[in-house]
């Protein structure tokens, strides 16, 4: 057998001369020319709109003058970063952003899992389907519509939720401008818009739980709650960890549109987050370099957070995303 | 099989089942209620809106609010603009995404790995709002509708899901097309794309919803309010309560409150109309993409 193989290899070596490398590359290119042609528009897109701005972000270390352009503007080192870290805005923005992220992590995230489990425990298929259909809808609405609904529902004096809450508690709060109510309203909007949609990924994980485990647990006499606690929850833990890691990377990415639409001159102190600050400083006031430095800081922290969370997840013997 | 799980049920479990149905039904109602409220309000008279704070059916029907906005040139302009930008933009974005996804689905394409890594990298890191704005400005796209379409033309997540879908199509299809003398361009157009209609429809809808709902791009890139899209118009009316933008007939007092309700309804309606199609496809589309490769 071995001899035969060797002889075949020998004849092949004789019949097919080794290709010259140069010719090989050209053959490759002509072979793939149509594929590269199809790839070209996409490459141009990524170069211009994804990697172009990454190059443009160097203006964070320069004093960008539109007239001079990105390349010819003066280098200033870390001046903009120093100015940002030294300004009182920095701690305020950090606190506002982190509090919103924390509230979302502590309230919205567990709520999504709870709703997914409740849906999974629902026995009547018709009810399950209808509820799913309804709670997915808000995800597809724009933040402008969500903000508009909020403005109507909480409108001073006439809004139904304004009246309801103020009547119940005997207060007279203007929810839309009161700084104390800014965060609760943001979290509420977030829950209303995204909880339903967020259940999809957990429902997929729940559907793939091994059913025989439940049967075994039933024979052992485990009740409904025990089955959820000892079988369902551990089974979807990997998905929970992955979603948690992904969310960690988004900690500083508060939704720009949502916050911008709910910000007004009275709640500005608690409403300002990194994203809206970049907009106000950069677009409204024209401090391009300074606002780019703020944005770059935010993006870098995001990268560190997502890799950090992934590393921690792996250390705790859970599968990360990378 | 699934039924088995419920066979053994304690009395407490049965109580839980009832509570669960009630609880989740309430959740469904909470998701729906704001629309019913707004839809009812949009058909109500101004006096009813001023006196009753919450109702799900107006006492007297009125079309005054819709009359005001549908005769407003500014509103109609925003409406037509948004429809056109969404339609053209979706086609462009889908074509760009599919045409890039196809070559990347070929395992033997030289340079494929590095390109995929570069694409994935853009999911965790971006240049940020201001450098993107400056790029759009330098390309001369400021105050053009291209600025609403091109900067987000290819969504990296969608790209990779479509690529994965192409990858799991049987290879024999392309082989036979090749034997018939078709090049890759023709294969993509006449074999691959027709086979991928459901997946492409899913992402077309996602792209369309993205453009229709986009508020940040017009805010950043359009200075001229005669170019505004529906979302910008909506924000001006409801959040900034600036009704002068409606340019209503000055001879009669416009129904100020009703207009807000009606604009929300009109901005939401297309999404609700397309929602059944969306719902049919999104779960399928998402799961197809999760096949690793």
């Amino acid at each position: 057998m071995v001899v035969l193989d060797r002889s075949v290899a020998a004849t092949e070596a004789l019949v097919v001369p080794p290709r010259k490398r140069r010719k090989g590359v050209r053959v490759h290119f002509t072979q793939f020319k149509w594929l590269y042609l199809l790839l070209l528009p996409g490459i141009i897109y990524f170069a211009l709109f994804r990697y172009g701005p990454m190059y443009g972000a160097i203006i964070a270390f320069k004093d960008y003058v539109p007239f001079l352009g990105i390349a010819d503007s003066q280098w200033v080192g870390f001046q903009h970063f120093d100015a940002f870290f030294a300004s009182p805005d920095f701690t305020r923005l950090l606190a506002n952003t982190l509090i919103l992220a924390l509230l979302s992590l502590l309230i919205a995230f567990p709520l999504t899992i709870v709703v997914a489990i409740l849906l999974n425990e629902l026995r009547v298929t018709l009810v399950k389907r209808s509820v799913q259909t309804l709670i997915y809808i808000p995800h597809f609405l724009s933040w402008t519509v969500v903000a508009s609904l909020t403005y109507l529902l909480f409108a001073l004096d006439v809004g139904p939720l304004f009246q309801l809450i103020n009547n119940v508690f005997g207060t007279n709060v203007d929810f839309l401008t009161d700084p104390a109510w800014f965060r609760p309203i943001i979290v509420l909007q977030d829950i209303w818009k995204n909880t339903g949609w967020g259940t999809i990924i957990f429902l997929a994980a729940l559907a793939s739980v091994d059913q025989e485990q439940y049967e075994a647990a039933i024979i052992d006499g485990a009740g409904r709650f025990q089955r959820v606690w000892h079988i369902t929850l551990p089974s979807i833990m990997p998905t929970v960890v992955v979603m948690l890691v992904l969310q960690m990377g988004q900690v500083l990415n508060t939704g720009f549109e949502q916050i911008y639409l709910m910000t007004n001159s009275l709640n500005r102190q608690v409403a300002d987050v990194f994203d809206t600050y970049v907009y106000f400083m950069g677009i409204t006031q024209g401090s391009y370099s300074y606002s780019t430095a703020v944005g770059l800081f935010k993006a870098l922290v995001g990268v560190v957070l997502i890799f950090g969370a992934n590393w921690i997840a792996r250390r705790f013997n859970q599968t990360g995303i990378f | 099989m699934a039924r088995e799980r419920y066979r053994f049920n304690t009395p407490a479990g049965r109580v839980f089942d009832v509570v669960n149905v009630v609880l989740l039904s309430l959740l469904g109602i909470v998701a729906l209620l704001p629309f019913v409220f707004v839809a009812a309000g949009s058909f109500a008279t101004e006096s009813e809106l001023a006196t009753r704070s919450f109702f799900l059916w107006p006492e007297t029907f009125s079309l005054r609010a819709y009359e005001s906005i549908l005769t407003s040139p500014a509103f109609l302009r925003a409406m037509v603009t948004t429809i056109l930008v969404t339609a053209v933009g979706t086609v462009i974005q889908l074509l760009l995404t599919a045409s890039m996804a196809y070559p990347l689905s070929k395992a033997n394409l030289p340079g494929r790995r590095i390109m995929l890594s570069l694409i994935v990298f853009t999911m965790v890191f971006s240049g940020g709002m201001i450098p993107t704005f400056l790029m759009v400005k330098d390309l001369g796209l400021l105050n053009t509708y291209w600025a609403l379409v091109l900067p987000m033309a290819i969504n990296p997540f969608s790209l990779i899901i479509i690529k994965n879908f192409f990858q799991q199509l049987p290879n024999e299809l392309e082989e036979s097309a090749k034997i018939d003398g078709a090049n890759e361009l023709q294969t993509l157009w006449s074999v691959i794309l027709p086979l991928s209609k459901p997946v492409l429809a899913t992402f077309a809808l996602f792209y369309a919803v993205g453009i229709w709902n986009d508020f940040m791009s017009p805010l950043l890139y359009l200075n001229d309010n005669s170019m505004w899209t529906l979302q910008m118009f909506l924000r001006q009316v409801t959040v900034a309560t600036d009704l002068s933008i409606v340019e209503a007939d000055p001879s009669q007092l416009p129904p100020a409150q009703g207009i807000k309700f009606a604009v929300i309804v009109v901005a939401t309606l297309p999404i609700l109309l397309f929602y059944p199609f969306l719902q049919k496809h999104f779960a399928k589309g998402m799961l197809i993409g999760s096949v690793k490769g």
Side-chain angles (χ1 to χ4, degrees), chain A residues 142-159:
Chain A
S142 67
W143 277 113
T144 336
V145 166
V146 177
S148 303
L149 291 173
T150 313
Y151 271 76
L152 286 183
L153 290 169
F154 287 99
L156 189 64
D157 297 331
V158 290

Side-chain angles (χ1 to χ4, degrees), chain A residues 43-85:
Chain A
I43 291 175
I44 294 174
Y45 165 77
F46 273 92
L48 279 182
F49 292 107
R50 300 276 176 169
Y51 281 89
M54 286 186 208
Y55 163 72
I58 63 166
I59 64 167
F61 305 98
K62 290 185 163 210
D63 220 344
Y64 177 70
V65 184
F67 172 71
L68 290 174
I70 294 169
D72 292 334
S73 294
Q74 197 88 54
W75 288 98
V76 295
F78 285 88
Q79 183 190 305
H80 300 297
F81 291 90
D82 291 338
F84 176 55
F85 295 140

